[in-house]
Amino acid sequence: RKEVEQDPGPFNVPEGATVAFNCTYSNSASQSFFWYRQDCRKEPKLLMSVYSSGNEDGRFTAQLNRASQYISLLIRDSKLSDSATYLCVVKSNDYKLSFGAGTTVTVRA
Amino acid sequence: DADVTQTPRNRITKTGKRIMLECSQTKGHDRMYWYRQDPGLGLRLIYYSFDVKDINKGEISDGYSVSRQAQAKFSLSLESAIPNQTALYFCATSGQGTNYGYTFGSGTRLTVV
């Protein structure tokens, strides 16, 4: 079983729509959680950390459910520039990051 | 200048050749990492280093070696390249602690023919 699993998508949404997707993780001892954004074959870039109480960063909202071991990302008012692959990342100790394979989002005009 | 610089950006090499991928960072972090990315698999850790004297194998270290020449420099070598090492390779650096995210280089696209 993969340590981090994501729906690969693609999620194809019109501009202005809301899109949400989840990932699940297998290690219940995981300590930190992140969403990274990766544009086509470029380096992953940190989008936001995910906190237990949930957190927002502009149009992006992240939620963590430790009991069910899943993390979600919601994008409101989608922009064309939000088209990317979103990587769910879980940190299980001080150095080890486990990456999901990514969820592809395409925002169309 | 980029915080993490990788060279080369693209490389095509033949089976059996030795190749080195280089990485340097200006973040001042002690921790550096090498990952590879394959379609549908996510990034996988090859090697990591917490300081110049500390080198550790990741989950897929077979066929690879590394050298930490200085705090800012961490190179990855393929001693005898094989086609299934064709992938996108990323170097990364991070601060210490579980809440630190990673800063990645722009990647090296390696093709072994």
Side-chain angles (χ1 to χ4, degrees):
Chain A
R1 180 186 174 187
K2 291 181 181 178
E3 292 189 46
V4 180
E5 300 209 48
Q6 296 184 247
D7 180 346
F11 288 78
N12 191 327
V13 300
E15 270 188 296
T18 294
V19 59
F21 42 89
N22 299 331
C23 83
T24 58
Y25 61 95
S26 61
N27 185 350
S28 60
S30 297
Q31 299 175 2
S32 305
F33 308 89
F34 308 90
W35 283 104
Y36 278 72
R37 172 196 169 119
Q38 186 175 27
D39 294 296
C40 186
R41 307 310 274 172
K42 294 189 175 180
E43 74 271 27
K45 293 184 178 179
L46 180 63
L47 178 66
M48 59 194 300
S49 301
V50 185
Y51 302 119
S52 297
S53 56
N55 50 296
E56 285 189 10
D57 184 358
R59 297 180 293 106
F60 297 83
T61 301
Q63 297 279 356
L64 168 64
N65 185 317
R66 284 188 182 270
S68 301
Q69 295 180 206
Y70 77 81
I71 307 153
S72 65
L73 182 67
L74 181 146
I75 308 173
R76 289 187 302 277
D77 188 22
S78 299
K79 311 293 185 190
L80 294 176
S81 58
D82 294 333
S83 297
T85 297
Y86 292 85
L87 307 180
C88 177
V89 182
V90 174
K91 201 170 191 181
S92 55
N93 57 37
D94 194 28
Y95 71 90
K96 179 175 170 55
L97 289 187
S98 297
F99 288 80
T103 297
T104 298
V105 173
T106 301
V107 182
R108 63 183 188 273
Chain B
D1 288 343
D3 292 328
V4 182
T5 301
Q6 290 184 234
T7 56
R9 292 294 305 274
N10 292 281
R11 181 72 180 267
I12 300 174
T13 193
K14 293 184 177 180
T15 298
K17 293 291 187 182
R18 183 179 188 275
I19 182 168
M20 179 181 289
L21 310 184
E22 302 198 38
C23 176
S24 62
Q25 53 101 355
T26 58
K27 299 283 285 186
H29 291 156
D30 287 326
R31 301 182 171 201
M32 297 187 73
Y33 312 83
W34 276 102
Y35 284 87
R36 68 175 277 175
Q37 186 175 33
D38 299 276
L41 292 180
L43 277 77
R44 293 181 292 166
L45 182 63
I46 305 172
Y47 271 94
Y48 63 100
S49 170
F50 280 2
D51 65 38
V52 175
K53 296 181 181 179
D54 178 77
I55 303 289
N56 302 280
K57 293 182 178 180
E59 57 188 297
I60 54 163
S61 59
D62 287 350
Y64 302 95
S65 63
V66 290
S67 174
R68 185 80 184 268
Q69 299 96 328
Q71 185 206 35
K73 295 182 182 296
F74 193 36
S75 60
L76 176 72
S77 293
L78 287 68
E79 297 300 326
S80 180
I82 56 177
N84 76 359
Q85 292 177 312
T86 294
L88 185 55
Y89 290 83
F90 288 107
C91 175
T93 187
S94 77
Q96 185 173 350
T98 56
N99 290 322
Y100 272 95
Y102 287 16
T103 302
F104 287 85
S106 54
T108 295
R109 183 180 300 278
L110 177 66
T111 303
V112 183
V113 298

